[in-house]
Structure formats: C-alpha cells, structure tokens
Amino acid sequence: MKQVILAGMVGLALVGCNSGSSDSNTSAAKFNLAFSDAPVDSLKKVCVAFDQISVKQTDEDESSWGTASFAADQSSAECIPDTYSIPVDADGNPLFMVINLMAFQGEKSLQVLSDEALEAGTYTQIRLNAVASGDYGDPVNTPYSHVVTDSDQVMELGYTNANGKIIIPDSFEISASTAPKYTLEFDLRKGIVENKAHGYRLKTTAIRMVNNESVATISGSVGASSCSNDISDAHVYVYTTPNDGNYGDIQEDSPNAPYATTAVDASTGSFEVGYVPLGTYDIALVCNGSVDHPEEDNSAVLNIDTGSIHKDAVLTTENLTVTF
C-alpha cells in the first residue's frame, strides 16, 4: 500500500532504551510506527498527548522510546493553546507530544517511529503513556489530551486503561531481514464515548495495529439519489465475511460488528477507509449512521441499504473503489 505522510512529518524519531539490541546483534531489526484514524461524528479535534511508547515481547522483555528526539514543531499546532508552548527539558527537548488524530484520516498518517533498533521476535503489546491534566502544569485550563466539539466546546479526553496507559494488546512480528512498517489505526467512531461528567474517553479496544505491507484502502462515492435522496447522514460500513448476511452495529459486543466505518461527505458523496487488512468484505451503505453509538445496541434502528451492499468484495494489494 502506498503510505501518505503529510509534508514535514517524516523522521520524527523516538529515542530507544532497554531494547536489548545493538548494531552488532544479529537479531537486531528496525521498527517503524505511524498513526492514523477513522473519523468520528460531531468532533472537530481529537488531541492525544503522550510522552512514551513501549512494546512488550513474548518473554516479557520491554523496549521503550521517550521524547528526547522529538521536535516541538512535530506536534499538532492546533492542539496547543494560544500563547502556550510545550514545556522542554534541560536540553531543550519537548517533554511530550500531542497529535490531532482528526488531521490524519483515511490514507493519511503521521510517522512517529522511523527505523528504530528493536530485537527481532514476536511482540504482544504496544503502549502509549498518555499525558493528562496536571502532569506538566495546566496550560490555560485546556487539558493536553482533549477534544473540541462542533460547537467549539473543549472537553478532556480520558482513557479506559488505568494509570494513563493506552494499551493495545495486538501481536506483531519484527524480522531482522526487513524493516516492517506498522500503523496504529484509531477507529474513533467505535472508540470515542461521551461522559457528561468527565468529558470524553477513548476506548483503547478501538485501536488496532496493522502492517502497512498487507493493507489497502477502500474508497468510492455515494450517489445523490441514494438514501431516499438524502445522504446527509450516510455512512459506509465494512464487514468481514463470512457473516451469514447479518450486519451489526458498532457496539463492541455486537454480533457481526463492522470492522470499520466512515461518514460520507454529504457535499461530494465521497468516502475513504484506510489501512484495511487485505481480505474479503461486505461493504454496506448505512443511511442514518449518526444514530449508532458504541455503547448502545442500535442494530434495530440502523438503516442499512441492503439492496446496495457490495458482497464478497475482495481487497488485494490494490486499493478498492466502490460506488453506491
């Protein structure tokens, strides 16, 4: 798959420690990691701040990268309040990084790790150490990790894991003969939940690790005549097959829940779902996607246009284009 990286975002290297590997080690390999997301309704920004990335091997050994190599201008400027700058250490290195996930949708991604030394083997977990309010002071009452709603309300973003750890329990392989490139895909429609008393929280079960060598993009368009001539709330749902013709909602425990979803651009009818593993899928048009909530059973009211489903659509190394 061709990886799209925004200008100025390449080469943001994290400094490794405790990796257990060196240039002279025959099992030394390279690790690359980018961030991308599937968009969420009713939010303008989803800012995630973190100051460390760790991976765990099957033998419980860990490797970690901190922020000593971060450049301040690599953080998303729109996530940093006016008149404020990210604090730095004694050497001038930013103490954390903050990324607006909404800026990296579809095929777009932000390269976070580039060719970092890492011991070859099987890894069972990747963790981000999230930065919360008060960790580095309070920048004019705007939390470091936060969301901005369509009505410009700023609300804190918390996480389902304890102690500020964003834990993704996905296994992945690192080979000494290659430099695999991975992407953390944040499915925000499945993962962002509003809590009126405490802002929003990100369900880390909606974050997945994908190998860029075995993924592609599903994109296409929805005609203006679809959904009874109203595509203002149209969404596209991607289901793994076989699913026996049953199409669930985005609730975590829903039978036959979609692998991924995305909103249709109401003005152009276009849509894009990036970083989808190669395979066979049913691609469905949902005409009232905004009613779907990640913690509610909305399957009975979900309006799926069953007559237009692209059944057994095969996604190969080439991107797939579908039209409704």
Side-chain angles (χ1 to χ4, degrees):
M1 173 184 174
K2 180 180 179 182
Q3 185 180 26
V4 178
I5 303 175
L6 296 189
M9 295 299 182
V10 183
L12 201 169
L14 301 177
V15 172
C17 62
N18 302 323
S19 64
S21 61
S22 66
D23 291 342
S24 60
N25 192 330
T26 57
S27 65
K30 300 293 184 181
F31 181 50
N32 296 271
L33 181 68
F35 284 37
S36 183
D37 95 279
V40 64
D41 306 324
S42 303
L43 295 178
K44 291 181 177 180
K45 300 176 189 176
V46 177
C47 297
V48 173
F50 58 95
D51 57 14
Q52 187 181 69
I53 294 178
S54 303
V55 293
K56 180 182 288 188
Q57 240 175 331
T58 51
D59 59 4
E60 299 300 314
D61 284 346
E62 289 194 9
S63 297
S64 300
W65 294 270
T67 60
S69 293
F70 283 5
D73 61 357
Q74 301 299 325
S75 283
S76 298
E78 65 270 26
C79 290
I80 304 171
D82 293 340
T83 73
Y84 182 78
S85 60
I86 294 176
V88 298
D89 62 19
D91 296 320
N93 301 308
L95 295 180
F96 63 88
M97 180 177 186
V98 59
I99 298 174
N100 177 17
L101 295 175
M102 297 290 284
F104 304 98
Q105 300 177 18
E107 281 193 336
K108 295 178 181 177
S109 65
L110 169 60
Q111 193 74 32
V112 176
L113 286 171
S114 297
D115 287 337
E116 289 298 317
L118 187 63
E119 184 178 350
T122 300
Y123 290 79
T124 59
Q125 186 184 99
I126 182 167
R127 296 197 309 268
L128 308 181
N129 189 57
V131 174
S133 295
D135 285 354
Y136 295 103
D138 186 3
V140 295
N141 299 316
T142 298
Y144 295 115
S145 294
H146 66 275
V147 304
V148 178
T149 68
D150 281 348
S151 59
D152 294 322
Q153 185 177 11
V154 178
M155 303 184 72
E156 186 167 5
L157 178 64
Y159 306 96
T160 54
N161 295 121
N163 302 319
K165 302 293 185 182
I166 303 176
I167 301 174
I168 303 97
D170 287 353
S171 296
F172 59 97
E173 298 288 335
I174 297 296
S175 169
S177 60
T178 61
K181 293 178 172 61
Y182 289 93
T183 295
L184 282 182
E185 174 75 355
F186 293 72
D187 193 334
L188 298 182
R189 287 201 74 234
K190 287 184 179 181
I192 290 285
V193 179
E194 184 177 3
N195 184 323
K196 294 186 182 302
H198 303 288
Y200 285 74
R201 62 185 174 90
L202 175 63
K203 298 172 63 176
T204 52
T205 53
I207 307 172
R208 53 183 178 263
M209 184 98 156
V210 297
N211 187 332
N212 293 1
E213 298 303 314
S214 57
V215 296
T217 296
I218 298 173
S219 61
S221 61
V222 176
S225 60
S226 299
C227 296
S228 301
N229 298 310
D230 182 7
I231 62 171
S232 61
D233 196 20
H235 291 66
V236 171
Y237 280 40
V238 178
Y239 294 90
T240 56
T241 57
N243 57 25
D244 299 322
N246 297 316
Y247 304 104
D249 61 355
I250 62 175
Q251 186 186 26
E252 186 175 330
D253 298 327
S254 174
N256 298 309
Y259 175 80
T261 72
T262 190
V264 174
D265 187 313
S267 60
T268 65
S270 62
F271 65 88
E272 182 177 85
V273 184
Y275 298 95
V276 182
L278 307 182
T280 303
Y281 298 89
D282 284 358
I283 307 169
L285 176 62
V286 176
C287 293
N288 62 339
S290 66
V291 305
D292 208 357
H293 189 280
E295 293 195 325
E296 298 174 0
D297 181 1
N298 301 115
S299 56
V301 296
L302 208 59
N303 181 10
I304 299 178
D305 186 352
T306 55
S308 66
I309 295 175
H310 292 259
K311 294 184 178 181
D312 297 327
V314 180
L315 184 62
T316 65
T317 53
E318 295 295 325
N319 294 340
L320 178 64
T321 301
V322 297
T323 303
F324 289 98

